[in-house]
């Protein structure tokens, strides 16, 4: 009766630990809340049924399959890879539980009864910890969900978990694990494998156990670092937007120009990537940095006199030459910031946007008169976003242009002012946003 009770506890521990490790160690997302709860309920009844019909081993196998299925359903892409994650995951769970349950009784030469008592005590402690986590850990779980939803394991972390998972599968199925079947019959284990071999397996499994705990702790620390890095990045983005808005507030013409252009830039970049255009440049990091840098494209206007910046009429030729210097002024400001703050990818992009967003595809723009792909991609994207917003916004020297006329101008200047591929991506985004 006691052994059956321990089997139930072991199955429950493996199941709960597996689903928890899936989320908090492997950082795999859950399904939508209601669907996830239904999945848990179905899993509970299925594992329970398999346990009572086919036994503990079959129930644990079903648990692994269900965890793999849950990973597949929770992902938005690469779903089939989720099935393979259950291999190291179940190895880690078994490798963590089995050494705790079996090695100490062996090394302490506990009797059958002593081993059973020890195992019940350990499962009792694990149950209390899980209940405590459920009752008291709600705030932490909410924090984790909010701040880790964009975090994923690094390649090195994935390789480490796979290596440890396979290693732990070996130790959790090696000779020392036969104590589970023997229920504390240490003489039989020694007789089958030899006292020296059993001692070696015991020590090796505990070493693997400690290594696994160390790696999991390192991953959790990585999560913490990722959280603080995101906090700092958000603060930097906020400061950048604030600086850009301070500059923008000198210009009575523009209103929410920097926020709108950043949104257009993000949409165009995502569409280009979806189409497979410039996929070698448009990495996820490049696009994030580009959106952060976009508000700084007009920062050079801080050097433009108010009489020119806010002139209610058309600029003279001389005044327009002064206005054009905001590109090189912005380039100089941001280059100086790079020298003070150190090399940064988003500052590199900000420099390119500030310097080149008025260059034309055919080479007739300013300040340098470069053309085609000589113009950095981020600046070519910003050019379309900047002009479209300027056309459709009210300025002190003009009214907002009807959106249909603005679209016609963007189309007309494709291949001259703007890169055709960027224009096409812009119109796809505009159509998806319901503007066309």
């Amino acid at each position: 009766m006691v052994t059956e009770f321990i089997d139930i506890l072991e199955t429950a521990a493996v199941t709960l630990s597996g689903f928890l490790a899936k989320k908090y160690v492997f950082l795999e997302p859950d399904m939508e809340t209601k669907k996830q709860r239904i999945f848990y309920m179905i899993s509970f009844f299925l594992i329970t049924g398999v346990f009572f019909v086919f036994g503990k081993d079959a129930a644990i196998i079903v648990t692994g399959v269900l965890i793999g299925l849950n990973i597949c359903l929770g992902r938005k892409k690469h779903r089939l890879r989720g099935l393979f994650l259950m291999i190291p995951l179940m190895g880690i769970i078994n490798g963590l539980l089995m050494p705790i349950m079996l090695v100490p009784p062996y090394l302490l030469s506990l009797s059958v009864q002593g081993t059973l008592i020890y195992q019940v005590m350990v499962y009792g402690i694990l149950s209390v910890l899980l209940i405590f986590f459920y009752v008291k850990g709600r705030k932490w779980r909410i924090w984790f969900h909010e701040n880790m939803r964009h975090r994923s394991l690094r390649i090195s972390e994935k390789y480490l978990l796979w290596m440890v998972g396979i290693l732990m599968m070996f130790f959790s199925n090696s000779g020392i694990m036969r104590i589970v079947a023997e229920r504390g019959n240490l003489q039989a284990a020694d007789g089958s494998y030899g006292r020296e071999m059993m001692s070696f397996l015991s020590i090796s499994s505990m070493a693997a156990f400690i290594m696994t705990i160390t790696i999991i702790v390192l991953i959790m620390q990585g999560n913490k670092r990722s959280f603080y890095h995101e906090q700092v990045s958000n603060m930097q983005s906020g400061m950048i937007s604030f600086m850009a808005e301070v500059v923008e507030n000198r210009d009575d013409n523009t209103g929410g120009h920097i926020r709108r252009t950043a949104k257009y830039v993000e949409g165009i970049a995502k569409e280009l990537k979806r189409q497979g255009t410039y996929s070698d440049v448009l990495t996820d990091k490049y696009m994030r940095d580009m959106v952060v840098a976009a508000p700084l494209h007009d920062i050079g206007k801080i050097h433009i006199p108010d009489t020119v910046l806010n002139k209610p009429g058309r600029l003279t030729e001389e005044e327009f030459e002064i206005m054009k210097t905001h590109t090189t002024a912005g380039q100089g400001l941001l280059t100086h910031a790079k020298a003070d703050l150190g090399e940064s990818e988003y500052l590199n992009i900000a420099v390119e946007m500030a310097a080149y967003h008025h260059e034309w595809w055919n080479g007739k723009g300013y300040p340098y008169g470069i053309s085609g792909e000589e113009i950095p991609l981020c600046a070519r994207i910003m050019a379309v976003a900047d002009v479209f917003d300027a056309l459709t916004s009210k300025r002190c020297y003009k009214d907002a242009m009807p959106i249909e006329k603005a679209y016609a101008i963007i189309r007309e200047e494709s291949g001259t002012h703007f890169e055709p591929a960027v224009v096409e991506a812009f119109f796809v985004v505009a159509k998806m946003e319901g503007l066309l």
Side-chain angles (χ1 to χ4, degrees):
M1 182 67 182
V2 177
T3 57
E4 285 78 5
F5 178 64
I6 290 178
D7 283 344
I8 293 173
L9 291 176
E10 183 181 333
T11 304
V14 170
T15 302
L16 290 172
S17 300
F19 278 106
L20 288 173
K22 178 217 79 165
K23 183 172 183 178
Y24 297 113
V25 178
F26 281 75
L27 302 178
E28 289 293 331
D30 287 334
M31 294 181 283
E32 183 267 326
T33 304
K34 187 176 180 180
K35 292 180 180 178
Q36 187 68 33
R37 287 175 180 170
I38 293 172
F39 187 91
Y40 284 150
M41 191 178 299
I42 293 172
S43 298
F44 170 77
F45 286 111
L46 185 58
I47 293 168
T48 302
V50 171
F51 176 86
F52 285 109
V53 174
F54 298 103
K56 178 194 68 179
D57 292 340
I60 290 176
I61 292 172
V62 170
T63 295
V65 174
L66 287 171
I67 292 172
L69 180 61
N70 190 236
I71 292 172
C72 291
L73 296 175
R75 289 181 166 201
K76 293 182 180 179
K77 57 182 180 179
H78 305 307
R79 290 184 168 179
L80 289 179
R81 294 183 190 177
L83 286 174
F84 294 99
L85 277 180
M86 70 179 183
I87 299 172
L89 179 58
M90 294 309 294
I92 287 172
I93 299 306
N94 281 325
L96 288 175
L97 288 175
M98 294 304 103
I100 295 175
M101 302 306 300
L102 304 173
V103 174
Y106 178 80
L107 295 178
L108 296 172
S109 297
L110 297 181
S111 64
V112 174
Q113 185 177 4
T115 300
L116 294 175
I117 293 172
Y118 168 81
Q119 291 177 341
V120 171
M121 288 175 59
V122 172
Y123 282 128
I125 293 171
L126 288 174
S127 299
V128 170
L129 290 175
L130 287 171
I131 292 170
F132 181 82
F133 176 74
Y134 178 78
V135 175
K136 296 291 186 180
R138 185 172 182 273
K139 288 184 179 179
W140 184 86
R141 292 195 301 273
I142 292 172
W143 174 89
F144 189 94
H145 176 73
E146 289 177 349
N147 295 291
M148 292 293 112
R149 62 182 179 273
H150 301 306
R151 161 89 158 107
S152 58
L153 293 182
R154 301 180 183 89
I155 297 296
S156 58
E157 292 172 335
K158 290 179 181 179
Y159 284 147
L160 277 172
L161 284 175
W162 262 89
M163 180 183 71
V164 170
I166 300 301
L167 184 66
M168 296 302 274
M169 283 185 69
F170 168 76
F171 283 114
S172 65
N173 289 285
S174 64
I176 191 63
M177 299 310 151
R178 295 296 182 88
I179 301 175
V180 176
E182 301 292 348
R183 292 299 175 198
N185 190 341
L186 305 178
Q187 290 78 18
D190 285 342
S192 299
Y193 300 98
R195 182 75 183 181
E196 291 182 0
M197 177 58 72
M198 290 302 294
S199 297
F200 169 76
L201 290 171
S202 299
I203 294 169
S204 299
S205 61
M206 288 304 293
F209 169 82
I210 292 170
M211 183 172 65
T212 305
I213 292 292
T214 302
I215 291 171
I216 290 174
V217 169
L218 289 174
I219 289 173
M220 297 302 285
Q221 288 288 32
N223 293 344
K224 191 175 181 180
R225 287 194 301 272
S226 177
F227 165 71
Y228 285 119
H229 175 73
E230 187 172 348
Q231 291 286 87
V232 171
S233 296
N234 290 339
M235 184 174 67
Q236 287 177 336
S237 299
M239 289 299 294
I240 289 167
S241 296
F242 174 75
M243 288 167 53
E245 286 182 10
V246 168
V247 175
E248 186 184 47
N249 285 336
R250 290 189 60 242
D251 184 353
D252 295 334
N253 301 324
T254 53
H257 175 69
I258 61 171
R259 290 183 292 277
R260 291 192 298 270
T261 51
K263 182 180 178 181
Y264 299 149
V265 164
E266 182 178 20
I268 293 169
K270 286 182 176 179
E271 177 58 25
L272 285 170
K273 183 174 183 179
R274 190 193 68 79
Q275 294 175 1
T277 308
Y278 301 118
S279 56
D280 56 329
V281 178
L282 292 172
T283 63
D284 290 341
K285 185 178 186 309
Y286 184 90
M287 291 195 295
R288 285 196 303 269
D289 289 337
M290 185 164 52
V291 174
V292 172
L296 296 173
H297 73 280
D298 274 338
I299 197 168
K301 285 184 177 180
I302 199 169
H303 284 303
I304 305 300
D306 287 342
T307 53
V308 175
L309 193 63
N310 294 317
K311 183 178 178 179
R314 189 179 184 87
L315 297 178
T316 66
E317 187 174 332
E318 183 182 64
E319 289 168 336
F320 185 57
E321 289 300 317
I322 294 172
M323 179 63 82
K324 285 161 63 174
T325 63
H326 81 277
T327 53
T328 51
Q331 181 182 20
L333 282 170
L334 293 168
T335 301
H336 182 71
K338 278 175 55 182
D340 288 343
L341 300 175
E343 192 69 20
S344 168
E345 187 60 35
Y346 84 82
L347 278 177
N348 290 335
I349 294 171
V351 169
E352 293 177 342
M353 280 184 163
Y356 305 114
H357 69 282
H358 282 293
E359 298 289 356
W360 284 34
W361 183 249
N362 65 3
K364 294 184 178 181
Y366 65 87
Y368 300 112
I370 59 177
S371 63
E373 293 190 7
E374 290 180 286
I375 307 167
L377 178 60
C378 58
R380 304 198 305 264
I381 293 173
M382 174 54 76
V384 174
D386 189 44
V387 171
F388 176 73
D389 190 71
L391 292 173
T392 55
S393 299
K394 187 179 184 303
R395 299 291 173 90
C396 61
Y397 55 87
K398 73 173 188 68
D399 290 327
M401 182 181 291
I403 198 166
E404 294 81 7
K405 188 175 179 180
Y407 284 142
I409 290 174
I410 298 292
R411 279 199 177 95
E412 183 181 334
E413 296 191 358
S414 176
T416 55
H417 189 163
F418 310 117
E419 178 183 1
V422 175
V423 171
E424 290 307 312
F426 167 76
F427 280 113
V428 172
V429 174
K431 188 172 183 180
M432 288 192 297
E433 293 290 331
L435 300 177
L436 277 176

